[in-house]
Amino acid sequence: MKGTGVSCIIFMLVSIRCIHCAFTPADNYLIDCGSLTDTTIYDRIFVSDVSFSSTLTPSSNNLANTSGSVPPSTYGAALYQNARVFTVPSSYSFQITAHGRHFVRLYFFPSVYGSFDLTSSTFTVSTQDVVLLDHFQPQANSAAVEEFLVNINSNTLALTFAPTGNNSLAFVNAIEVVSVPETLIADTATVVDPPRSYQGLSDQLLEKIYRVNMGGPQIFPNNDTLWRTWDTDQKSPPFNNSLSAPFIFSGRINYNGGGATQETAPDTVYATAARLLASNTSNARFNMSWRFPVDANSSYLIRFHFCDIVSDAAGDLLFNVYINSWLVAPNLDLSSYTDRQLATPVYRDYVLEASDASGTQLNISIGPSDINGVLPDGILNGLEIMRIGSGGGSPVTPPGSKKNLAIILAPVLGAVVVAIVAVALCVVLRKRKLKEQYSKSWVPFSINGFTSHSAGSQTSNGTAVTLNGNFGYRLSFAILQEATNNFDENRVIGVGGFGKVYKGALRDDTKVAVKRGNPKSQQGINEFHTEIELLSRLRHRHLVSLIGYCDEKNEMILVYEYMEKGSLKSHLYGSDMPALSWQQRLEICIGSARGLHYLHTGQAKAIIHRDVKSANILLDENLLAKVADFGLSKTGPELDQTHVSTAVKGSFGYLDPEYFRRQQLTEKSDVYSFGVVLLEVLCARPVIDPTLPREMVNLAEMGMKWQRRGELERIVDSRIAGSIRPESLKKFGETIEKCLADSGVERPSMGDVLWNLEYALQLHDADAGTISEVNSINQITELSPRVQNFSAYENAPPAGEAETSLLNDLSDVSMSKVFSQLIKSEGR
Ligand SMILES: *[C@@H]1O[C@H](CO)[C@@H](O)[C@H](O)[C@H]1NC(C)=O
Ligand SMILES: *[C@@H]1O[C@H](CO)[C@@H](O)[C@H](O)[C@H]1NC(C)=O
Ligand SMILES: *[C@@H]1O[C@H](CO)[C@@H](O)[C@H](O)[C@H]1NC(C)=O
Ligand SMILES: *[C@@H]1O[C@H](CO)[C@@H](O)[C@H](O)[C@H]1NC(C)=O
Ligand SMILES: *[C@@H]1O[C@H](CO)[C@@H](O)[C@H](O)[C@H]1NC(C)=O
Ligand SMILES: *[C@@H]1O[C@H](CO)[C@@H](O)[C@H](O)[C@H]1NC(C)=O
Ligand SMILES: *[C@@H]1O[C@H](CO)[C@@H](O)[C@H](O)[C@H]1NC(C)=O
Ligand SMILES: CC(=O)N[C@H]1CO[C@H](CO)[C@@H](O)[C@@H]1O
């Protein structure tokens, strides 16, 4: 009984710790060097290293006292009272329990300590792998903490202090070696010039140079989740103080959606900002800038912290961000990173390469957007500048004999046990919590959710209820076996990454498309859950309806309404189906635009389709268009960790080029893809056709070229060119051009696209059947330089496909080739 009580108390202590601090470091060494006693700084205890003095050579390692010359206002002033002094190279050795990044913080206060004058000490500090400080001479009589993010992949960290020069001494006042959350620094960032992706940040040593809370107070380690210090920007004020003002927010900071967590920076950083003041005179446009002295010829990681605490509505705030003279983020719209929520932190990482950092100062500026009608405004909440691979970053020659002097810091056993238990419990509790959230997100509607949504919907014809009583849309495996003749290969109407799609018929003769997932793919399971969850909430005339699903025996089967006339793509090219008229094409475009508009705006949170293409627009027996395949859709950021796989899953030729710059899909990415679909509808050719001459391979590129020249009519599908009224074509072409704008903010919303297409239809209707147009139109047909070469790809599946065969989908065939082309063109 007593044992249970004790473990209960430990458990409670541990739980309390878990609730109050989001992050518990696996390794957490805090050492007060040269001190005879432990020192408590707020809730952290710096352990005295004096108990290890017996392992030191008496003449080479000394404890030293100073008598109160430490500035009293310094955080952790007590740590600077004592120092350990080294006359020969000496090492501390730390046992590392968790590999990966660690903060190494070194406290220095060069002063006179009794018989030791440390004011002109010069020394080198290194780990077994890298030099942290090379010939370092801390500024006399000033307390400083040097902070590094060191990647440790062995079981010990040896920290060596070596005096350099004649009669020099090395010393240190305190040391921290503390684990860093894995997600704090990602492996990738954006290179400033030329803009491209930087990879391999995880392996690099980082040295903190500046960490600034813009427009806010100084933040000390006791107020930071990772015990960091944030300076005010008073030390590096904006060039023109009259143009910026601090802004303080009293509401709650929302950490869901922007990618930043409570560890990224504390609330105080995000709740305060330096704000560019909107000037009253319309032509007054100024930058708000900061200058940071840095060492020339080093590479820097520059992290901007943003949180839109100033706007009244998402999308109101647009501004430019500069590093030196490079415009690194034109017309930055923070809401595009936060699912359009305000007060949501976002951070952006940039790497300034050594070759671009030849000056001795770094200029950071926030400036007004150049877009007409946007008020001059802009904010910056925080900024971190870290040197990549500091101290020369040079590898260290093995220390050899130095190792003999190593002081092994045996941690207090009990503390370690408690820490391990705490971490383990935290992990277990967290996992459990995640699991609960996860299952909550999709289980309940298997019983109730569907029935409430189904009322009045065109597919709730009672089939499912008859079959399955209480379970609503949950169908039994046996029923589906029967419906598809035991998944007869002859009934396959499509194959995709998820699995195969079969044509089937339920007992009441309802025709269905049965999409059977390949249970082996873990990815598939996530998409399955995503798709059920989404489709259960979404009901729209222009979205393909889900009739039911089956998760029996680990199956992942989705049952959709059967779309009699197959995909839009199959009607445009690659089959011998009769050509659709211009009116039919416009109506199909309008229908699918309505479906997408609903996805973007019909729910509290916008839903991004992510894979808009003609193969995912299906037609029912009346040629009514419905948007299909939400397997890739997403509402929140949780699926967004798979940028790379997303890029591969989205279809090339349709993919938003801005996605490569920003690494994030938005509604405007769908608008871009839809613009490509509009071109496809107009020209009736594949979006990527490698058999064509180089400048014609990519439909979007080719279409934009002709549209800009005002000669779009020359690439219109020759089968219908004679029947399109020029005004209608003009409107259609303008709509395409807007959708394909380079930057997402310049693209229209789906609602605007819809309106424009309806207008194009009206312009066409207004003159339907007028003979006077025919002559001029025949001329157009003759000019049309279309190249017909689809025979190699005519492997189209029969009508009714809910998903296209990868082989059939040209845009997928030449994926790697096109991908490298896109990357290259982006790099320029
Ligand atoms: C530091 O100073 C205190 C009193 O001023 C003294 O008791 C102690 O021995 C000194 N420690 C060292 C290492 O000199
Ligand atoms: C050390 O001192 C000697 C003589 O005092 C001098 O010759 C030598 O250059 C000095 N070395 C360094 C590294 O300063
Ligand atoms: C600072 O801004 C004011 C306008 O508010 C302008 O008149 C002044 O010239 C600016 N000063 C500098 C140094 O740019
Ligand atoms: C701008 O206008 C506001 C209110 O109209 C006024 O309070 C403020 O002083 C003006 N600022 C400048 C720089 O003229
Ligand atoms: C930086 O590198 C450039 C080119 O190599 C060189 O001219 C310059 O002197 C260097 N600056 C410093 C401070 O080392
Ligand atoms: C930063 O700005 C200052 C002042 O405008 C300028 O003198 C300096 O050249 C700039 N530095 C860089 C690297 O652009
Ligand atoms: C802001 O700074 C950038 C980079 O130095 C410069 O190109 C731009 O013209 C400046 N904008 C304004 C409004 O001064
Ligand atoms: C701004 C802020 O949060 N300040 C707090 C820092 O921590 C001390 C004590 O830990 C609090 O008293 C402050 O309010």
Side-chain angles (χ1 to χ4, degrees):
M1 284 311 280
K2 202 179 171 192
T4 345
V6 170
S7 49
C8 251
I9 288 166
I10 290 177
F11 177 80
M12 278 164 62
L13 288 173
V14 163
S15 310
I16 286 164
R17 179 129 186 94
C18 285
I19 289 161
H20 285 281
C21 71
F23 173 69
T24 310
D27 293 310
N28 192 15
Y29 294 101
L30 309 174
I31 303 182
D32 186 1
C33 301
S35 172
L36 297 165
T37 55
D38 294 353
T39 304
T40 302
I41 308 291
Y42 291 91
D43 57 349
R44 306 170 91 196
I45 299 168
F46 284 72
V47 181
S48 155
D49 73 344
V50 79
S51 41
F52 311 106
S53 60
S54 59
T55 64
L56 298 173
T57 312
S59 60
S60 61
N61 292 280
N62 298 278
L63 305 178
N65 262 7
T66 184
S67 44
S69 56
V70 177
S73 64
T74 308
Y75 171 86
L79 294 173
Y80 296 108
Q81 299 293 331
N82 314 280
R84 185 171 286 273
V85 180
F86 312 98
T87 54
V88 298
S90 313
S91 301
Y92 285 95
S93 182
F94 301 92
Q95 299 298 319
I96 299 301
T97 52
H99 289 185
R101 275 189 197 286
H102 288 67
F103 281 118
V104 173
R105 296 191 181 103
L106 306 172
Y107 292 65
F108 300 107
F109 179 61
S111 181
V112 178
Y113 290 71
S115 57
F116 298 103
D117 182 357
L118 302 177
T119 52
S120 58
S121 312
T122 309
F123 51 93
T124 293
V125 183
S126 49
T127 70
Q128 66 267 39
D129 300 319
V130 285
V131 176
L132 302 182
L133 295 165
D134 194 16
H135 288 77
F136 175 65
Q137 182 169 17
Q139 197 192 335
N141 294 308
S142 117
V145 179
E146 302 294 324
E147 181 188 288
F148 300 87
L149 283 107
V150 183
N151 207 11
I152 306 173
N153 289 314
S154 54
N155 296 333
T156 51
L157 166 69
L159 207 53
T160 305
F161 294 80
T164 50
N166 281 342
N167 300 319
S168 184
L169 298 168
F171 77 99
V172 63
N173 295 88
I175 300 175
E176 290 183 27
V177 176
V178 181
S179 300
V180 173
E182 270 173 47
T183 52
L184 185 68
I185 309 267
D187 190 51
T188 57
T190 306
V191 176
V192 168
D193 177 55
R196 63 189 187 280
S197 173
Y198 181 96
Q199 256 135 29
L201 218 44
S202 322
D203 300 331
Q204 301 274 9
L205 169 72
L206 298 174
E207 178 188 4
K208 183 212 102 172
I209 309 292
Y210 294 98
R211 181 176 287 135
V212 184
N213 177 22
M214 299 294 177
Q218 188 168 22
I219 300 170
F220 292 107
N222 55 305
N223 285 335
D224 181 286
T225 43
L226 301 178
W227 303 281
R228 292 162 297 196
T229 302
W230 299 75
D231 293 321
T232 65
D233 63 347
Q234 295 309 304
K235 282 178 200 147
S236 48
F239 290 164
N240 195 337
N241 279 308
S242 63
L243 296 176
S244 85
F247 189 92
I248 296 165
F249 177 68
S250 53
R252 219 186 104 256
I253 301 294
N254 164 26
Y255 284 92
N256 293 317
T261 67
Q262 250 133 343
E263 278 92 47
T264 313
D267 274 11
T268 320
V269 169
Y270 289 121
T272 57
R275 183 180 188 184
L276 188 62
L277 283 188
S279 180
N280 296 4
T281 46
S282 59
N283 59 351
R285 303 177 77 81
F286 296 100
N287 283 344
M288 168 169 72
S289 306
W290 292 265
R291 267 182 279 186
F292 296 95
V294 293
D295 290 342
N297 298 345
S298 288
S299 301
Y300 293 95
L301 171 64
I302 302 168
R303 170 170 285 191
F304 291 87
H305 294 272
F306 296 111
C307 182
D308 186 355
I309 49 176
V310 302
S311 296
D312 296 325
D316 278 2
L317 184 66
L318 282 185
F319 56 93
N320 289 343
V321 180
Y322 303 88
I323 294 174
N324 286 347
S325 53
W326 289 285
L327 175 55
V328 295
N331 304 311
L332 180 64
D333 174 9
L334 296 174
S335 71
S336 71
Y337 297 102
T338 63
D339 277 334
R340 308 192 67 73
Q341 298 174 84
L342 297 174
T344 304
V346 172
Y347 63 90
R348 309 299 303 153
D349 286 341
Y350 295 93
V351 168
L352 184 66
E353 294 191 317
S355 53
D356 288 330
S358 53
T360 53
Q361 65 178 328
L362 212 75
N363 293 344
I364 302 292
S365 308
I366 301 295
S369 158
D370 311 316
I371 295 180
N372 275 345
V374 174
L375 283 177
D377 201 345
I379 55 167
L380 182 58
N381 300 68
L383 185 76
E384 288 176 271
I385 299 178
M386 292 181 235
R387 196 207 319 257
I388 301 175
S390 69
S394 44
V396 174
T397 45
S401 63
K402 288 177 203 165
K403 271 196 171 151
N404 302 339
L405 290 172
I407 313 160
I408 310 294
L409 282 183
V412 183
L413 193 64
V416 167
V417 169
V418 169
I420 289 170
V421 170
V423 169
L425 268 169
C426 278
V427 168
V428 168
L429 288 174
R430 204 174 209 178
K431 277 207 176 137
R432 204 176 279 167
K433 205 171 168 193
L434 278 179
K435 226 177 191 172
E436 276 165 13
Q437 281 173 352
Y438 187 62
S439 38
K440 260 183 211 149
S441 70
W442 69 280
V443 162
F445 57 74
S446 63
I447 297 161
N448 302 320
F450 275 0
T451 30
S452 60
H453 281 288
S454 64
S457 130
Q458 117 189 39
T459 54
S460 69
N461 50 13
T463 316
V465 177
T466 327
L467 293 169
N468 231 314
N470 288 339
F471 283 103
Y473 284 83
R474 193 175 198 176
L475 300 168
S476 78
F477 188 66
I479 290 286
L480 295 178
Q481 270 180 314
E482 187 188 310
T484 57
N485 195 16
N486 200 15
F487 299 99
D488 184 350
E489 286 296 310
N490 292 326
R491 295 201 177 199
V492 172
I493 52 175
V495 183
F498 181 87
K500 288 181 180 168
V501 185
Y502 301 81
K503 181 179 176 177
L506 298 177
R507 281 181 191 165
D508 68 349
D509 288 336
T510 310
K511 285 186 192 164
V512 289
V514 179
K515 191 170 164 185
R516 188 184 191 192
N518 173 1
K520 280 177 210 138
S521 88
Q522 197 56 36
Q523 187 67 38
I525 288 177
N526 292 337
E527 285 172 10
F528 181 65
H529 294 162
T530 309
E531 190 142 0
I532 299 184
E533 203 219 338
L534 276 172
L535 287 174
S536 70
R537 283 191 279 131
L538 301 173
R539 291 284 152 179
H540 193 270
R541 187 174 145 86
H542 292 288
L543 296 182
V544 172
S545 304
L546 185 73
I547 289 179
Y549 72 98
C550 169
D551 57 2
E552 242 174 68
K553 302 180 186 164
N554 289 329
E555 288 284 347
M556 299 185 297
I557 303 176
L558 295 169
V559 182
Y560 294 96
E561 64 177 314
Y562 181 73
M563 298 294 284
E564 193 71 45
K565 292 274 170 68
S567 74
L568 168 60
K569 182 178 176 179
S570 65
H571 286 261
L572 292 174
Y573 51 87
S575 73
D576 44 20
M577 284 187 226
L580 296 168
S581 72
W582 182 235
Q583 165 130 6
Q584 284 172 323
R585 293 184 199 203
L586 280 175
E587 281 167 354
I588 288 167
C589 291
I590 290 170
S592 24
R594 276 189 213 283
L596 288 171
H597 179 59
Y598 172 76
L599 279 183
H600 290 177
T601 60
Q603 306 282 311
K605 251 185 174 183
I607 291 162
I608 303 166
H609 185 291
R610 298 176 141 210
D611 199 14
V612 174
K613 56 181 177 182
S614 58
N616 276 339
I617 293 171
L618 304 185
L619 305 174
D620 75 0
E621 65 275 16
N622 302 317
L623 290 178
L624 183 79
K626 299 192 181 198
V627 178
D629 202 355
F630 304 104
L632 295 167
S633 309
K634 89 180 187 78
T635 49
E638 59 278 353
L639 290 176
D640 202 38
Q641 282 140 8
T642 56
H643 291 317
V644 176
S645 60
T646 312
V648 174
K649 281 188 295 183
S651 303
F652 289 106
Y654 293 98
L655 212 51
D656 174 6
E658 196 181 41
Y659 171 73
F660 288 100
R661 286 196 292 273
R662 292 190 156 195
Q663 299 287 301
Q664 188 153 359
L665 290 170
T666 68
E667 294 104 296
K668 295 297 177 68
S669 308
D670 282 353
V671 173
Y672 182 91
S673 307
F674 191 69
V676 180
V677 171
L678 294 181
L679 264 178
E680 225 180 330
V681 164
L682 187 71
C683 308
R685 56 151 276 189
V687 294
I688 299 288
D689 188 342
T691 62
L692 292 177
R694 213 204 150 280
E695 67 279 7
M696 299 173 76
V697 168
N698 184 323
L699 175 63
E701 249 172 51
M702 182 182 91
M704 283 297 274
K705 198 177 79 190
W706 290 102
Q707 166 65 18
R708 290 206 187 98
R709 285 194 201 170
E711 298 178 42
L712 193 62
E713 68 275 8
R714 297 182 56 147
I715 56 166
V716 172
D717 182 354
S718 54
R719 294 172 296 177
I720 58 156
S723 63
I724 306 180
R725 199 163 175 252
E727 288 83 352
S728 178
L729 177 61
K730 184 158 175 282
K731 190 78 210 162
F732 195 76
E734 286 167 5
T735 312
I736 292 173
E737 191 174 355
K738 286 183 204 148
C739 290
L740 297 185
D742 232 16
S743 147
V745 291
E746 285 163 26
R747 291 177 209 148
S749 68
M750 262 340 279
D752 292 340
V753 174
L754 181 57
W755 188 90
N756 277 288
L757 290 174
E758 280 174 341
Y759 191 51
L761 180 60
Q762 275 175 26
L763 288 173
H764 178 71
D765 275 349
D767 207 65
T770 305
I771 293 165
S772 67
E773 296 296 324
V774 171
N775 284 339
S776 59
I777 282 161
N778 281 345
Q779 261 174 329
I780 292 168
T781 316
E782 279 160 24
L783 284 171
S784 177
R786 288 179 32 76
V787 182
Q788 294 281 359
N789 196 349
F790 308 133
S791 49
Y793 305 97
E794 269 175 12
N795 222 354
E801 58 176 352
E803 191 160 341
T804 332
S805 144
L806 281 176
L807 284 176
N808 171 53
D809 195 343
L810 258 186
S811 48
D812 291 328
V813 167
S814 49
M815 217 179 246
S816 55
K817 206 168 150 193
V818 179
F819 187 72
S820 60
Q821 273 180 9
L822 278 169
I823 299 272
K824 271 187 213 142
S825 61
E826 272 312 303
R828 270 182 250 123

